[in-house]
Amino acid sequence: TATPIPRSVAMTVFGDLTVSTLAQLPAGRADVTTTVVDATRRSAWVERAWERVAEEVAQGRQAFVVAPHIGGGKEADGLGVVELAARLSEGPLAGVRVGVLHGRLPAEEKAAVMGAFAAGEVDVLVATTIIEVGVDVPNATMMIIWDADRFGISQLHQLRGRIGRGGLPGVCLLVSSAEPEAPSWERLAAIAGTRDGFALAELDLAQRREGDVLG
């Protein structure tokens, strides 16, 4: 299971089940290089990240930019999707076709934006985790996850799975301004170090524990 919930754990521990392990990537998937970008101590890397997105677009490819919240209000700190999209369109990605996707949009508008991205009419899609599952755009080769320390291991792993789906190598950049001693760095380092979902699930279990299986 992609999300190891206690019920699944209980079934595998106490049930008389035959377990099949799918350890290989599906056919046609390419390698994805993941790098953690320390936005506080290496601000130049952030600027380079946006340049890298522009380079991918110039080669006819597409990119995702994921933020932890919608923004446009006072509900959270940091840049949300709305502010991030505006800054990119006016700055480092000026001239690039930038789309915005989040849960507050009407259903018709969400479908139109996603359809435009899938059709190649949008170069960079700035979105919330609404794109975490069920999105298959083979031409998308790059992802920047903004404030990546605010996401869990499962979310980061699922998000990264949106790129490298068309045979072209992918690049995933995890941008974080977290303090050096923050426990979130262990999560980010783990994601950068492996694409093995089984290993990541073990770390996720160790960090969050398994819940009350018999409750």
Side-chain angles (χ1 to χ4, degrees), residues 142-162:
M142 187 167 183
M143 175 176 285
I144 293 183
I145 303 180
W146 191 260
D147 285 338
D149 52 281
R150 299 191 180 196
F151 297 92
I153 288 176
S154 296
Q155 280 186 309
L156 293 170
H157 184 57
Q158 291 273 37
L159 287 168
R160 177 173 56 183
R162 300 310 98 204

Side-chain angles (χ1 to χ4, degrees), residues 30-152:
D31 188 33
V32 175
T33 301
T34 306
T35 303
V36 180
V37 176
D38 187 336
T40 300
R41 287 161 289 278
R42 296 183 181 274
S43 57
W45 285 27
V46 179
E47 297 175 13
R48 175 60 187 139
W50 302 128
E51 291 176 358
R52 188 72 178 78
V53 170
E55 291 169 4
E56 287 292 306
V57 171
Q59 296 180 60
R61 299 167 189 168
Q62 293 164 278
F64 291 99
V65 177
V66 182
H69 60 90
I70 298 172
K74 300 179 180 180
E75 73 276 11
D77 297 328
L79 295 177
V81 166
V82 175
E83 295 90 353
L84 197 53
R87 291 196 183 191
L88 293 175
S89 297
E90 297 168 0
L93 297 184
V96 172
R97 298 172 297 178
V98 176
V100 175
L101 186 65
H102 56 73
R104 285 190 199 148
L105 296 175
E108 298 80 6
E109 189 172 347
K110 284 189 285 190
V113 171
M114 199 60 241
F117 186 68
E121 298 165 2
V122 169
D123 300 314
V124 177
L125 185 63
V126 185
T128 58
T129 54
I130 195 170
I131 57 101
E132 185 176 349
V133 295
V135 174
D136 185 16
V137 181
N139 193 46
T141 56
M142 187 167 183
M143 175 176 285
I144 293 183
I145 303 180
W146 191 260
D147 285 338
D149 52 281
R150 299 191 180 196
F151 297 92

